[in-house]
Amino acid sequence: MLDRLGTSLKDALKKLAGRTVIDRTAVDELVRDLQRALLQADVNVKLVMQLSQAIKQRSLEEEPPKGMGVREHVLRIVYQEIVNLMGRPGEVTLGPQTILMAGLQGSGKTTTVAKLARYFQRKGLRVGVICADTFRPGAYEQLRTLCDRINVPCFGSPTETDARKIVREGQQACRHLEVVVIDTQGRHAFEENLIEEIIDLNRISRADHRWLVIDAALGQQASEQARRFHEAIEIDGVIVTKMDGTAKGGGALSAVSETKSGIVFIGSGETIEDLERFDPDGFVSRLLGMGDLRALVERAEEAVAGEDLDVNALLKGKFTLRDMYKQLEALNRMGPLKQIMSMLPLGNVQIPDDAYDITSAKMQRYRVVMDSMTAAELDDPSVIGSSRIKRIARGAGVSPDDVRDLLKYYKVMQRALKGMRGLGGGKFNMQRMMKKFGRTL
Amino acid sequence: MFDSLKKRLHAIRNAFGSSIEDAMGPAPEEEVEQPLPEAASPVQTGETPPAEEKRERPTVINRLKVFVKEQEVLLQEKDIQEPLFELEMALLENDVALPVTDEIIARMKEDLVGRRRRLRSSVDVLVLETLRSALCGVLGDGLNLIDYINSHERPIKILFIGVNGTGKTTTVAKVANYLRKHGFSVVIGAGDTYRAGAIEQLGTHADRLDVKIIRHQAGADPSAVLFDAVEYARAHRIDVVLADTAGRFHNRANLMNQLSKIRRVVKPDLVVYVDEAVAGNDAVIRADEFNRTVGTDAVVLTKADIDPKGGAAISIAHTIKKPIIFLGTGQGYDDIVPFEPRAVVDELLGGEAQCWTDSERP
Ligand SMILES: Nc1nc2c(ncn2[C@@H]2O[C@H](COP(=O)(O)OP(=O)(O)OP(=O)(O)O)[C@@H](O)[C@H]2O)c(=O)[nH]1
Ligand SMILES: Nc1nc2c(ncn2[C@@H]2O[C@H](COP(=O)(O)OP(=O)(O)OP(=O)(O)O)[C@@H](O)[C@H]2O)c(=O)[nH]1
Ligand SMILES: [Mg+2]
Ligand SMILES: [Mg+2]
């Protein structure tokens, strides 16, 4: 069920592949699929509508950077807008601090308190926790049991009913410690008394951080709940728990956007060790049900950043040594050549295996050889006979075989190109190659 | 519960109504080509709009024409595209999961588009009926726990399962309290031997409610604890066994296997799947998994006080086609409400749907 959505977004992106002008219908379709993916991931409906509006507008209005295909252009905008929404990962400092935890009932606060204690303990800090949950049966025993496992002191009392008092006394007791994490009872936005309580706990504890714990499965309520918590105690970080399930955590995105904070940690299991720093790229990829989106976007950007290829001249049949070199350079930035070549529509053209073997050392040598050529030779290598080969080899300080090697490679490439032109032509360019490459992700 | 959806549905009904009226074109009398004073008398019912009443002695032709115009309407998708979109947004905003929303929309479309629909009295009724049948179809029938217990051999064994932190343990305590108030005796089995503090949590509830609890040590085999609870109920002629289990994720095969084993050992009469109203789209996925791997008979939806929109109820009920028996509406023992789908749909549609009996529905 989940994957189906990821696929549909991928399909929509595929429809953009190979296009060179932006097609309103295709963008519309993509945006619709994107909306579905985000809604399915529980991102706030209004946020989704805003986001998709922005994406649509930018896709249609902004010129794609020269050499970047429509698909990559749109993909990049999608990525930028979502990352923008997500803000930066929340800061975690490794020094003395007090952290106050807040969140809905059962969201995972207590478990996360123990995980955080473990995290800071591993960083060599002296840690203590305070159980200010005076309501839930077994709350103290739960936290106590978890803390005992890692030898972290746990302040609290199963019989005390005043959370404020516990925090006051607890902080006294934890004076000598560096990091203090305060667990609180579960509460929601409409419980006025409890909202009052957490305001007081924040004031009393003078916490450095107030982290909101959000269950990855939290739905459309996320925004409103986060807003209320934020109004009450100024949330400065969000922790998404239960990411080891199948939920996508879109609620956390709503919460982050509501609190203008960032995601600090991810809870990924029931044990004390299951805490991870937040990785925005992984998060967005999961949200959209797509592979590593950033890698794809970066690759597209890098490829474009290189010298522009004269793709058109190339296709009109003019394929010079210079073109080949540029092509190779661009290809090298993208990954193993063979993999890319194998995606090209080369038809029956046979390319010797060693033709793929363009290491950067070899590229370097080609560059040197080409430096010794005249402009006329570079533009039309067919004029190069054996005497010219000797001259070039001498000038470049390589053997004549090295020069022949370059020329042979050029011929192979040229033939491959001709083959392609025969196969419908107009297809051999970086953009297309990018698309093919992206599609295998 | 469902307040916000209710409000939206009301507006949407009106939107559907006017879209459909637009699609039908101008009122029939203006459409009649021959300026004859006569028009069709109503064909069957007394539900004729007043406009037609003054017409009399129709010709056959006219009669047919007006019959088509007045009694039937053929809608195109584009006619109702806008209200459909609004309905879709309303459902999504109220946490009805995407696939379930899709299905409700599809049902609405199927019922309204491309078919000649007879109009009983007004467009509004047509919309109301269609919405009602879509929602009823999705929410299914209810299950009354008291009736169930009364009609089955005791001890009745009820196993509570679900993902982490949804409210299983609290629900066990609430149901114990509820059943005791209805005159049944209850024993609780502390089947969560895994999570820190779980046994103490349930123990405190049992003490406060003065209910017998069967527990082993932390780390013990949950099947063994629950087996003991069932044995205890047999020996002491207890009416109902309530078995708690540890929260677990549906994508953890070994934990799901453990649950299947518990199920084999306890042989529960009812497996109650507990999830929370605040859950979004994942509700559908995990309900489906639990239902397929362990099997479920009924659903409790907790934390309805945090999220009164009720979308998760619609999503889960629709996905696993099992009745919702209770809503959890707070952390107190009395914060539990039996769930009656028909009443909910009536409530959702503003109470007006009640006046339609079964035979009148399409
Ligand atoms: N699988 C998984 N389970 C988690 C994670 N975080 C918490 N849990 C489980 O979720 C359930 C609830 O966690 P708690 O830490 O008790 O939640 P809480 O927010 O303290 O609950 P209240 O104090 O009642 O509001 C427990 O079963 C935890 O083991 C996580 O990242 N992954
Ligand atoms: N507001 C509200 N809170 C509830 C409701 N039901 C349970 N809770 C709270 O949710 C939290 C988790 O409840 P538990 O009963 O411990 O959940 P669980 O499913 O047994 O959790 P695990 O055993 O850890 O998987 C507790 O703080 C409960 O008080 C409800 O209907 N409304
Ligand atoms: Mg807790
Ligand atoms: Mg429990």
Side-chain angles (χ1 to χ4, degrees):
Chain A
M1 184 171 294
L2 283 171
D3 293 345
R4 229 192 301 140
L5 257 144
T7 319
S8 88
L9 189 62
K10 264 184 228 155
D11 286 346
L13 280 168
K14 268 185 203 163
K15 282 181 204 141
L16 285 177
R19 284 177 211 252
T20 45
V21 276
I22 297 193
D23 174 341
R24 183 173 284 271
T25 348
V27 170
D28 276 350
E29 201 170 322
L30 177 99
V31 166
R32 235 185 347 264
D33 287 334
L34 179 74
Q35 284 174 350
R36 292 178 65 83
L38 292 172
L39 288 170
Q40 181 93 349
D42 294 320
V43 181
N44 178 273
V45 174
K46 295 208 171 68
L47 218 51
V48 171
M49 295 305 148
Q50 279 167 22
L51 195 68
S52 46
Q53 207 46 46
I55 289 170
K56 195 182 218 158
Q57 195 173 351
R58 285 189 56 195
S59 302
L60 293 171
E61 283 175 6
E62 287 177 18
E63 271 298 302
K66 204 167 166 228
M68 186 180 277
V70 170
R71 175 173 174 271
E72 288 65 40
H73 170 59
V74 176
L75 202 64
R76 195 170 65 139
I77 293 172
V78 168
Y79 178 79
Q80 285 171 349
E81 287 292 323
I82 294 179
V83 166
N84 201 13
L85 189 67
M86 202 159 52
R88 288 140 167 267
E91 288 273 329
V92 180
T93 51
L94 296 178
Q97 57 191 305
T98 301
I99 301 165
L100 180 68
M101 306 292 277
L104 298 180
Q105 286 89 350
S107 52
K109 294 174 295 302
T110 307
T111 312
T112 306
V113 166
K115 290 177 181 180
L116 287 172
R118 179 64 171 155
Y119 178 86
F120 288 111
Q121 183 188 49
R122 274 180 182 279
K123 302 286 177 190
L125 293 155
R126 277 173 289 128
V127 189
V129 312
I130 300 173
C131 173
D133 179 354
T134 52
F135 176 80
R136 173 169 157 175
Y140 176 74
E141 288 83 353
Q142 181 185 5
L143 190 54
R144 183 66 202 260
T145 308
L146 295 172
C147 286
D148 283 352
R149 287 182 195 159
I150 50 173
N151 292 317
V152 161
C154 172
F155 185 89
S157 151
T159 51
E160 175 58 60
T161 54
D162 183 357
R164 296 165 179 91
K165 187 169 168 220
I166 290 192
V167 168
R168 242 177 251 122
E169 293 177 358
Q171 282 196 308
Q172 253 332 90
C174 293
R175 264 189 336 257
H176 60 290
L177 299 171
E178 290 162 310
V179 178
V180 177
V181 190
I182 306 172
D183 187 20
T184 59
Q185 85 166 80
R187 72 197 74 222
H188 63 78
F190 316 125
E191 295 176 305
E192 279 306 323
N193 294 343
L194 291 178
I195 295 293
E196 281 303 315
E197 186 198 75
I198 197 123
I199 292 175
D200 287 351
L201 297 185
N202 182 39
R203 194 172 32 84
I204 294 166
S205 67
R206 289 203 211 93
D208 302 288
H209 295 292
R210 291 147 306 270
W211 286 346
L212 181 64
V213 178
I214 297 268
D215 187 319
L218 185 59
Q220 295 293 322
Q221 267 291 317
S223 293
E224 192 173 350
Q225 293 293 336
R227 189 183 319 130
R228 190 71 192 92
F229 274 101
H230 190 50
E231 280 166 10
I233 57 170
E234 258 186 77
I235 297 300
D236 68 343
V238 170
I239 298 183
V240 199
T241 59
K242 310 185 197 177
M243 284 291 273
D244 49 323
T246 49
K248 303 231 171 159
L253 196 60
S254 316
V256 162
S257 132
E258 206 58 64
T259 59
K260 315 248 173 338
S261 65
I263 298 177
V264 218
F265 286 103
I266 298 282
S268 56
E270 289 188 75
T271 78
I272 296 173
E273 309 292 338
D274 297 323
L275 187 73
E276 294 165 17
R277 282 310 313 270
F278 174 60
D279 158 35
D281 298 317
F283 191 80
V284 176
S285 296
R286 172 165 171 156
L287 210 60
L288 297 176
M290 301 221 356
D292 192 349
L293 200 59
R294 190 178 71 170
L296 197 63
V297 169
E298 273 178 359
R299 206 158 2 207
E301 284 175 348
E302 273 172 25
V304 170
E307 267 181 283
D308 288 336
L309 290 168
D310 191 353
V311 177
N312 288 332
L314 200 117
L315 292 171
K316 288 202 188 81
K318 213 170 153 303
F319 177 64
T320 67
L321 266 172
R322 286 192 240 261
D323 293 329
M324 187 183 85
Y325 192 82
K326 280 183 204 159
Q327 201 82 295
L328 282 178
E329 262 187 337
L331 286 177
N332 250 17
R333 275 198 295 268
M334 287 177 59
L337 188 61
K338 182 161 186 174
Q339 194 183 337
I340 291 162
M341 293 299 276
S342 67
M343 286 177 234
L344 292 174
L346 292 181
N348 293 326
V349 185
Q350 289 298 313
I351 295 183
D353 254 1
D354 61 1
Y356 292 126
D357 187 23
I358 305 297
T359 58
S360 43
K362 214 164 187 177
M363 293 268 298
Q364 193 57 40
R365 198 157 60 233
Y366 285 173
R367 167 58 83 192
V368 174
V369 172
M370 283 166 69
D371 278 344
S372 301
M373 293 181 181
T374 65
E377 285 165 350
L378 284 174
D379 283 336
D380 184 7
S382 65
V383 300
I384 304 175
S386 57
S387 66
R388 287 193 187 212
I389 288 180
K390 272 190 208 123
R391 192 210 79 229
I392 295 168
R394 251 197 326 275
V398 298
S399 75
D401 274 351
D402 286 331
V403 182
R404 272 185 216 103
D405 185 46
L406 169 65
L407 293 174
K408 186 174 123 201
Y409 188 77
Y410 165 76
K411 282 205 180 98
V412 170
M413 290 294 284
Q414 191 186 34
R415 212 174 326 130
L417 261 181
K418 266 196 194 127
M420 268 178 280
R421 250 176 256 127
L423 284 165
K427 298 283 168 60
F428 186 74
N429 63 42
M430 291 311 299
Q431 292 165 19
R432 183 171 172 86
M433 207 136 49
M434 287 294 316
K435 271 149 220 154
K436 293 205 155 269
F437 198 66
R439 212 177 287 178
T440 63
L441 282 177
Chain B
M1 177 111 167
F2 290 119
D3 273 354
S4 83
L5 188 57
K6 182 175 157 185
K7 239 183 268 153
R8 294 285 296 271
L9 282 181
H10 195 79
I12 287 164
R13 263 172 53 197
N14 292 338
F16 267 112
S18 43
S19 297
I20 292 174
E21 270 159 12
D22 286 352
M24 287 164 65
E29 43 267 70
E30 294 153 41
E31 287 283 300
V32 177
E33 272 155 26
Q34 294 135 300
L36 290 173
E38 319 94 333
S41 62
V43 188
Q44 333 128 307
T45 65
E47 294 171 291
T48 323
E52 278 78 21
E53 270 169 28
K54 40 186 188 316
R55 303 177 173 195
E56 33 188 341
R57 283 193 304 115
T59 66
V60 177
I61 297 280
N62 256 340
R63 188 178 185 143
L64 248 166
K65 228 182 194 166
V66 178
F67 174 82
V68 171
K69 291 257 184 249
E70 289 181 1
Q71 303 292 330
E72 291 193 342
V73 52
L74 180 63
L75 291 171
Q76 312 278 310
E77 187 167 339
K78 65 171 171 36
D79 298 332
I80 52 168
Q81 209 162 30
E82 241 170 71
L84 271 182
F85 179 73
E86 270 175 52
L87 177 61
E88 188 180 348
M89 287 299 117
L91 293 171
L92 289 171
E93 280 179 18
N94 286 282
D95 266 331
V96 179
L98 190 66
V100 181
T101 300
D102 286 349
E103 166 127 7
I104 292 177
I105 298 293
R107 276 186 197 225
M108 287 294 285
K109 247 193 244 171
E110 194 183 320
D111 274 8
L112 290 174
V113 173
R115 278 215 240 153
R116 293 204 171 273
R117 286 299 308 252
R118 296 185 45 182
L119 284 183
R120 277 166 203 278
S121 61
S122 69
V123 167
D124 196 40
V125 172
L126 171 69
V127 173
L128 201 61
E129 281 174 347
T130 316
L131 256 178
R132 188 187 166 85
S133 98
L135 287 172
C136 280
V138 156
L139 275 181
D141 299 323
L143 183 145
N144 183 307
L145 187 59
I146 304 296
D147 291 350
Y148 182 92
I149 295 174
N150 281 326
S151 59
H152 287 77
E153 200 183 313
R154 307 192 194 166
I156 307 285
K157 294 155 283 175
I158 308 180
L159 183 67
F160 293 81
I161 63 173
V163 300
N164 303 79
T166 53
K168 295 172 293 300
T169 306
T170 310
T171 301
V172 165
K174 288 178 183 176
V175 173
N177 182 49
Y178 175 86
L179 291 178
R180 279 253 307 266
K181 285 195 170 167
H182 281 79
F184 300 109
S185 55
V186 176
V187 61
I188 290 176
D192 181 355
T193 57
Y194 174 76
R195 208 208 63 218
I199 298 173
E200 291 87 340
Q201 181 187 7
L202 197 55
T204 305
H205 282 309
D207 288 349
R208 288 184 186 167
L209 292 169
D210 194 20
V211 168
K212 176 72 184 173
I213 178 171
I214 301 298
R215 56 176 140 188
H216 292 185
Q217 278 161 345
D221 178 3
S223 301
V225 189
L226 297 178
F227 183 81
D228 283 359
V230 173
E231 286 301 296
Y232 180 90
R234 288 225 171 83
H236 295 79
R237 306 194 151 275
I238 304 272
D239 297 325
V240 185
V241 182
L242 301 174
D244 191 20
T245 61
R248 68 200 69 218
F249 272 122
H250 47 292
N251 54 358
R252 294 284 302 278
N254 55 339
L255 296 181
M256 294 307 273
N257 287 339
Q258 183 192 56
L259 207 50
S260 299
K261 180 188 161 197
I262 292 174
R263 184 179 185 149
R264 281 196 301 277
V265 172
V266 175
K267 298 193 185 65
D269 299 276
L270 289 176
V271 177
V272 173
Y273 175 70
V274 181
D275 207 339
E276 50 188 25
V278 284
N281 278 273
D282 196 43
V284 170
I285 293 157
R286 58 209 200 184
D288 192 41
E289 278 302 314
F290 269 89
N291 191 44
R292 282 194 298 109
T293 53
V294 186
T296 64
D297 301 300
V299 178
V300 171
L301 197 71
T302 63
K303 308 185 193 176
D305 52 321
I306 311 183
D307 194 343
K309 292 174 182 162
I314 296 176
S315 301
I316 295 172
H318 170 69
T319 304
I320 61 177
K321 309 262 186 280
K322 297 292 157 62
I324 296 175
I325 42 175
F326 290 111
L327 295 180
T329 56
Q331 302 189 81
Y333 294 124
D334 289 324
D335 295 329
I336 186 166
V337 184
F339 184 85
E340 292 154 35
R342 283 197 61 137
V344 167
V345 174
D346 289 342
E347 172 67 21
L348 263 177
L349 297 177
E352 292 162 68
Q354 279 158 330
C355 47
W356 297 96
T357 65
D358 279 346
S359 61
E360 278 169 338
R361 262 189 273 134

